[in-house]
Amino acid sequence: MYRNSYQITEDILDTVSCSGMQGVAITPLIRKSNLSHKRLVGFMSKLTQSNLINKIETDGKITFILTEKGRIYLGEYKKFTDLAGSFGLDL
């Protein structure tokens, strides 16, 4: 079954959220979100521009952490999908 862009966004935000304040590097994010590098970079660009994720670069390493806005979005999205699921809707 294919995922839509909202489901992919949820997977990415959930993975970044689970990494905590240490953040997550791009390679583990690629593995855990099951996306190609090119596709993930596109999503990460949109998510950083929307201020859902912060990109932190230190010593040539890039890590991503979830912002407060990202936490709120992820929580509300999960509530919405749970509600839709309770009515038998697949999103």
Side-chain angles (χ1 to χ4, degrees):
M1 184 169 153
Y2 293 103
R3 299 177 291 172
N4 62 36
S5 61
Y6 296 109
Q7 292 166 324
I8 293 171
T9 300
E10 177 191 15
D11 288 344
I12 293 170
L13 292 177
D14 202 31
T15 301
V16 174
S17 175
C18 289
S19 69
M21 293 307 293
Q22 300 86 9
V24 63
I26 196 82
T27 303
L29 196 52
I30 288 170
R31 277 190 237 118
K32 292 177 183 176
S33 62
N34 197 26
L35 293 171
S36 69
H37 182 270
K38 183 178 180 179
R39 188 126 191 247
L40 182 65
V41 168
F43 273 98
M44 296 310 282
S45 175
K46 290 176 187 174
L47 293 172
T48 54
Q49 288 174 2
S50 301
N51 293 321
L52 297 176
I53 289 179
N54 280 336
K55 178 180 177 180
I56 299 171
E57 191 170 345
T58 53
D59 298 329
K61 290 186 176 185
I62 297 174
T63 56
F64 298 95
I65 59 169
L66 198 62
T67 63
E68 186 60 32
K69 184 177 176 182
R71 282 187 208 2
I72 293 169
Y73 174 88
L74 184 60
E76 294 299 319
Y77 181 80
K78 286 183 178 189
K79 285 181 196 175
F80 176 72
T81 56
D82 289 344
L83 178 67
S86 70
F87 286 100
L89 300 172
D90 291 327
L91 301 178

